[in-house]
Amino acid sequence: MYRSRRPAWAWAFTGAALSTGLGVSEPISAEELEAASGITELEAIQVTGEGGNRKPIEPLSRGKVSNAVESLPAGVTSITQEDIQTLNVDRDISNIYRRVPGVVANNIDQGDTGNGFRMRGFATNGTHGADVAVYVDGIPQNIPSSQGGAGHGPVFLEWLTPQMIRSANVIKGPVSALYGDQNRAGAVEIETLDGGSVASSIGLDVASFDGRRTNLVLGGEYEGLESLFIVDIYKTNGYRKAAETNRDNYFWKLSKVIDDVKYSARFSHYESDFKNDGYLNLPALRAGTIGRRDTDNLYGFGNANRNTYVFNRAPAYDEAGLYYTAYYEDFRRVRAISNGTNTHNYGKDDRDIYGGRLAYNFVANESASLMVGADVRRDKGIAFRQQYRNFEPTPNFYYDFDMDLITYGVFAQGQYKPTDSVKLMAGVRYDRFDYDIENLKFRDADTGYNSSVTTPKFGLAWTPIRELEIFTNVAQGFRSPAAEYISSGSSSALAPSETGGQVNSSVRPSKVKSYDIGFTVRPSDRLSSTTEFYYIENDNETVQTSAGVYEQVGSTTRRGAETSFNYQATSTVSAYASYGRIIDAKINNPSPGTGALLSVPEHTYKAGVQYRNRFMAGQVTLNADVYHLDGIPYYIGTEKNEMPPYTRYDLRASYDYSDYQFSVYGTFQPYRYGTEVAYGTSGGLVIVPQPSTTLGASIRYFF
């Protein structure tokens, strides 16, 4: 919870909340508030939220001319600062997506190995966020051609902590032209907090398996200059025998408004080292020859170090005007995965990444807008996978690249309202790739690579009545080719050679065309429901057909539907529920000896309830969530099998009293071999076992 001890701020916030709950049309004064509520001392106990007063469902907004994500003619879920405070985030920041309809958020207890994120049948087998374009403060987070054991386009968000995040918006489908590479299933835009709205605090969190977190937040404002400084130290020994994570995060952001323009600069430092136990064979687990906490072969290990510098400029009070962003980061990451009784696949990324965006938004009253801009990103450095034997390097490599990857993009996105009830949207991106790839394993495969892709987008939002929005879009998105697709050779562990390998200059970016139609109904300010249907065609699909082997299998088709409900039952109780169904996720022309269907969950169920009210001299918040995956296929050759179902229950209770917040929480998983991520092998399914129960408690002091 974020608080302020400034009386005027506290009274204004609580007065606005009571005016909403009591149906008062104008804000009420502090004196009137005291008389109405009978409360005369709130300065030491101002709490975030409405206390016992009803929080209305957000109004419909797709018909508004705005570049805010909630105004897109698409399925969008907004995760607020308050939502994050009521979730069991624990060791994995990807848990912030647990309540988003249709999204599979992985937490696989493998150390800092990327943040799993799957939706709409993309990113099969938990490829660490690939196929979803993820941005933080306008900075792309996907890492192309990563060799650190996470594939192409993974996302590493371990540098974020819950106290840094203002909001996270999940956009279903490639409908927005503002997002580029990896925007096939959709995009995520995360915004960090400014310091002026955040009270200083210190917190301590303990959890099962020696989980320990200490967190310091220093927020404030002086003569218009806002500062937010955060230190977060996290350690755990993990559920498995050799599991261990040690992580340090530092974050500092300065913001100031000058002449109606908001400028911000931030720096973040993240470092981590970890061990993990890898995957276990499910038939062997069921036979009892190995235990769920055992290590099969050798334990894995890794470390990471990441420093990021960002500067942003944007209009402070409306959307019209000039935007620009500049950033630089050095990204160092290692992950060693056991692949034999005494060998590891040791992957390393050592990259310097920098770039920026320049855009201008033209707005004509409330009826039209046009944003035009350009962005560039340069990613330079090494990426290799080396064979280690008995924890020592050998002269053999699986892949070995020295790369200079430059991507240029230009985009335009316009909106127009011909009538009060209809909004049209159209956008287009043009992206060009200029790569220089040195293949240090096979020198014959050294190559330059040039290609481009154009992705148009069209959408419509219709609001025939105030309580109903109907939306539809047709949009294209793309995924760049990985270095190992362009400059290829044997994926076996071999010593570098001056000959060998081949150049596949004809490889093109994988492109999707997505068709969406849906509606949101809001019959009252207590209830909102969204239903959407999608059909996706994808060409040049690239899948992992065996360990270290990737093949372009032609095209794939995905069809599905999602529905969700949000209900404010009373002034103190709210609830949500959602269901996602993947009707089809198939390879249209599979390679010989492989399955035709993709390994994605057929059914995704989510539901939860929250109770929030004043209690004695403070406020109590209770949350209960359930998350269930079912119908998850996997393939051994062409033989279709099914993974065990996976269910997760999350319970959390918090109590705010004076300058303190106390929380207890628990996560429960009843299926003994249930898992979100697994792989089919010739010896059967391999999984990452999860603990049946995880418990934790935290205390935070605000000052």
Side-chain angles (χ1 to χ4, degrees), residues 172-184:
K172 304 293 181 65
V175 62
S176 176
L178 276 58
Y179 309 103
D181 198 4
Q182 307 293 328
N183 187 14
R184 297 202 301 173

Side-chain angles (χ1 to χ4, degrees), residues 61-235:
S61 58
R62 289 187 182 88
K64 183 179 179 181
V65 173
S66 169
N67 280 310
V69 294
E70 61 267 21
S71 297
L72 290 169
V76 176
T77 299
S78 294
I79 306 164
T80 67
Q81 177 186 341
E82 182 179 345
D83 293 331
I84 294 171
Q85 294 162 6
T86 61
L87 285 160
N88 291 342
V89 176
D90 196 23
R91 64 186 177 273
D92 191 341
I93 196 68
S94 62
N95 282 322
I96 66 174
Y97 308 120
R98 287 284 175 185
R99 295 174 184 157
V100 178
V103 165
V104 178
N106 299 331
N107 187 339
I108 61 174
D109 200 21
Q110 291 287 288
D112 285 359
T113 57
N115 304 102
F117 186 104
R118 292 181 284 167
M119 66 183 184
R120 295 198 160 190
F122 280 92
T124 62
N125 290 333
T127 50
H128 306 273
D131 297 303
V132 177
V134 180
Y135 287 68
V136 178
D137 293 334
I139 313 304
Q141 300 296 302
N142 303 81
I143 306 297
S145 300
S146 170
Q147 296 299 330
H152 177 51
V155 175
F156 303 99
L157 295 179
E158 295 94 347
W159 66 272
L160 283 171
T161 68
Q163 289 77 22
M164 298 176 188
I165 301 173
R166 180 193 302 277
S167 63
N169 297 295
V170 179
I171 305 165
K172 304 293 181 65
V175 62
S176 176
L178 276 58
Y179 309 103
D181 198 4
Q182 307 293 328
N183 187 14
R184 297 202 301 173
V188 173
E189 177 64 73
I190 297 173
E191 182 183 359
T192 61
L193 283 156
D194 298 318
S197 61
V198 179
S200 299
S201 65
I202 187 169
L204 177 65
D205 193 314
V206 295
S208 302
F209 315 113
D210 295 328
R212 293 152 289 164
R213 168 171 266 139
T214 302
N215 181 278
L216 173 67
V217 178
L218 298 176
E221 178 181 348
Y222 179 73
E223 295 186 350
L225 178 64
E226 299 181 61
S227 174
L228 178 61
F229 179 74
I230 296 175
V231 178
D232 187 277
I233 310 298
Y234 175 77
K235 300 178 184 298

Side-chain angles (χ1 to χ4, degrees), residues 408-477:
Y408 309 92
V410 293
F411 57 88
Q413 184 159 287
Q415 302 175 62
Y416 174 59
K417 290 192 71 169
T419 70
D420 287 341
S421 63
V422 175
K423 184 185 80 172
L424 305 175
M425 192 194 83
V428 64
R429 277 193 70 95
Y430 172 82
D431 291 88
R432 179 172 176 80
F433 311 100
D434 186 358
Y435 292 172
D436 182 8
I437 302 173
E438 288 189 65
N439 192 323
L440 304 180
K441 179 180 175 181
F442 297 118
R443 299 305 306 222
D444 282 349
D446 288 358
T447 185
Y449 176 79
N450 301 101
S451 187
S452 62
V453 60
T454 301
T455 49
K457 298 84 168 30
F458 304 94
L460 179 148
W462 179 38
T463 311
I465 57 176
R466 187 169 60 91
E467 296 82 8
L468 173 67
E469 284 178 337
I470 300 172
F471 59 90
T472 186
N473 65 73
V474 179
Q476 290 187 335

